[in-house]
Amino acid sequence: DIVMTQSPSSLAVSAGETVTINCKSSQSLLSSGNQKNYLAWYQQKPGQSPKLLIYLASTRESGVPDRFIGSGSGTDFTLTISSVQAEDLADYYCQQHYSYPTFGAGTKLELK
Amino acid sequence: EVQLVESGGGLVQPGRSLKLSCVASGFTFSNYGMNWIRQAPGKGLEWVAYISSGSSYIYYAETVKGRFTISRDNAKNTLYLQMTSLRSEDTALYYCARGTTEGIVFAYWGQGTLVTVSS
């Protein structure tokens, strides 16, 4: 199985700040055939189901605000949230979709 | 509007069986791969099983292989998860989720059904 390691496990922020969440995979998620990186990001608010934010490392799902930016390639990936808003406080998970899917342990974004 | 509604969860004793269902609406069910994903109380997400649109391809997580069976009925727009030999570590909220064309990515999720395995 591909192991996904997320950091930090929690993050306290103030509204308006820019935050970065990291995700590292135990093997490359870059397909040599099409040069696509098979990495997705999800947001889960308390008491709700997860919501897909980004797939293929940097493709924003329809309706997701452009302050959510995915980047990275190979084994190292980042979710950047620009100008954090109160509604962004949630748990964030990365997931590889290169092979049988596996998730990172999650990052809890809290208010400072 | 895409909707996924799970049912069938409950309290079950270790070693017993349970069958979950997920009824889909708002999209052409027979065109999409479907998944079960679970989340233990206060924990992270764990993918459980995948079934392709026509049931030709089925994959399981190692933790449930040999005990759980995923299936679907495209005529009824319904996804199933038959769970046998249940263990305490199977206690979780079970979500069904619709896939996309870009590998096993979970674009839409139900609200989940809670399975509690306890004596």
Side-chain angles (χ1 to χ4, degrees), chain A residues 60-104:
Chain A
R60 211 175 288 116
E61 176 70 341
S62 175
V64 173
D66 58 9
R67 64 178 181 275
F68 291 91
I69 301 167
S71 62
S73 183
T75 61
D76 291 282
F77 300 89
T78 299
L79 175 67
T80 301
I81 311 173
S82 302
S83 189
V84 167
Q85 302 183 10
E87 67 199 53
D88 300 334
L89 302 181
D91 293 331
Y92 291 86
Y93 295 92
C94 62
Q95 175 236 327
Q96 61 83 13
H97 51 112
Y98 184 87
S99 65
Y100 295 164
T102 48
F103 290 90

Side-chain angles (χ1 to χ4, degrees), chain A residues 30-63:
Chain A
L30 176 63
S31 169
S32 57
N34 58 16
Q35 292 299 298
K36 293 181 178 181
N37 284 281
Y38 287 85
L39 189 284
W41 290 97
Y42 299 84
Q43 176 193 64
Q44 186 178 30
K45 297 181 179 179
Q48 296 186 17
S49 305
K51 172 188 174 183
L52 176 64
L53 297 175
I54 287 167
Y55 60 97
L56 294 176
S58 60
T59 301
R60 211 175 288 116
E61 176 70 341
S62 175

Side-chain angles (χ1 to χ4, degrees), chain B residues 22 24 27-32 34 53 72-74 77-79:
Chain B
C22 170
F27 65 100
T28 304
F29 182 70
S30 58
N31 285 352
Y32 290 89
M34 296 293 296
S53 57
R72 63 191 295 161
D73 185 335
N74 286 344
N77 288 351
T78 304
L79 175 72

